[in-house]
Amino acid sequence: MDTGVIAVANQKGGVGKTTVAMNMAAGLIRRRGSCIVIDSDPQGSATLWTELSGDPSRFPVEVVLAEDKLNKQIARLQTEFDYIVIDCPPEIKSGSIMNVMSISQILLVPLLPSPMDLWASTRIEELIKRAKKKNPKILAYILLNQIEPRSAMSRGMDEALQEIDIPVLRNRLGRRASYRTSALEGCSVYDLGYRGRAASEEIDGVIDEVLGL
Ligand SMILES: Nc1ncnc2c1ncn2[C@@H]1O[C@H](COP(=O)(O)OP(=O)(O)OP(=O)(O)O)[C@@H](O)[C@H]1O
Ligand SMILES: [Mg+2]
């Protein structure tokens, strides 16, 4: 099988790109095969995440910095890993993001249930249009993050998103302390025992929906 290259991107900051990338990588390793994360964000959050962990037996996700010649780096990593997850910076202007799009099979765009994030979604359409121009075969999905079932805004998202011409994953991530704890402890929601159970089921759902059962 070809290595699955999954990019997690959104030009908006703080929507959960790094949280999704790191927890998906952990889930892929548990359930699908080997996986490595490429940190293409100069903020280096994914790199810091693994540094916090310091215990590969608890959190086996390896993170490498993106190299200038990303295509070559990916080609090299593809010989070693079944999956590559790319954590992108919060911008789309730079050529490096389009570079990422041209070599990814799947693009996940986390989106928060907030008016500001919805208003920015026209720019997500632009991101995806540009990605598809570079790479017509890329499969792009919106992943709703920090959903609160009891909030009207979260419920209203479905209606609002019908206006946008991008598929939205049926599986979504709730607003849960365990996602924050996973970053604080430098691990994944899978490593938090019962505290992370609901979140890890959500990540499993996303993996299965995106990659097929
Ligand atoms: N589902 C969730 N429930 C609760 N907190 C969350 C959830 N997803 C992300 N967070 C928290 O939201 C904050 C932003 O998440 P994260 O750093 O993953 O976003 P980002 O898109 O990578 O940000 P940046 O654009 O700066 O790279 C973090 O504190 C993270 O722990
Ligand atoms: Mg980030």
Side-chain angles (χ1 to χ4, degrees):
M1 191 199 72
D2 277 352
T3 299
V5 182
I6 303 168
V8 188
N10 184 336
Q11 71 281 7
K12 208 145 183 295
V15 294
K17 297 178 287 294
T18 305
T19 303
V20 169
M22 297 303 277
N23 282 294
M24 272 209 49
L28 286 166
I29 291 171
R30 282 180 171 246
R31 308 180 64 236
R32 299 276 177 153
S34 56
C35 178
I36 189 161
V37 174
I38 297 183
D39 185 359
S40 76
D41 183 354
Q43 294 178 100
S45 326
T47 308
L48 281 169
W49 193 307
T50 42
E51 281 173 8
L52 262 177
S53 161
D55 178 2
S57 67
R58 183 178 187 215
F59 183 63
V61 177
E62 197 184 329
V63 177
V64 288
L65 289 175
E67 294 170 6
D68 286 343
K69 295 196 169 116
L70 192 61
N71 291 24
K72 279 199 177 152
Q73 182 182 19
I74 299 246
R76 201 173 64 238
L77 291 172
Q78 278 180 318
T79 64
E80 266 183 79
F81 294 92
D82 300 317
Y83 297 96
I84 297 172
V85 175
I86 309 177
D87 183 29
C88 295
E91 39 106 350
I92 53 168
K93 291 272 179 315
S94 80
S96 73
I97 288 286
M98 281 305 127
N99 226 346
V100 169
M101 298 306 149
S102 65
I103 43 177
S104 299
Q105 274 108 46
I106 293 166
L107 165 62
L108 289 185
V109 184
L111 183 68
L112 299 182
S114 85
M116 273 70 84
D117 287 77
L118 261 182
W119 297 334
S121 59
T122 49
R123 296 190 54 215
I124 296 178
E125 285 181 291
E126 182 199 334
L127 164 72
I128 291 176
K129 221 188 272 162
R130 286 178 60 192
K132 290 214 159 169
K133 214 170 185 180
K134 272 251 169 192
N135 177 3
K137 282 198 274 190
I138 196 167
L139 298 170
Y141 306 100
I142 286 182
L143 169 57
L144 293 174
N145 186 27
Q146 298 217 30
I147 291 292
E148 293 168 288
R150 280 179 296 278
S151 108
M153 185 66 209
S154 288
R155 286 200 305 269
M157 281 304 270
D158 290 314
E159 218 171 290
L161 284 169
Q162 283 174 2
E163 312 281 310
I164 307 177
D165 197 19
I166 308 163
V168 181
L169 291 179
R170 194 171 23 81
N171 287 275
R172 42 197 65 185
L173 308 183
R175 182 179 170 87
R176 299 181 188 280
S178 53
Y179 287 109
R180 286 172 193 268
T181 308
S182 68
L184 275 172
E185 295 189 11
C187 64
S188 74
V189 290
Y190 295 89
D191 308 309
L192 297 175
Y194 71 92
R195 291 183 296 162
R197 190 153 310 143
S200 51
E201 282 171 9
E202 289 174 343
I203 300 286
D204 284 350
V206 170
I207 290 173
D208 291 344
E209 186 174 358
V210 165
L211 298 178
L213 284 171

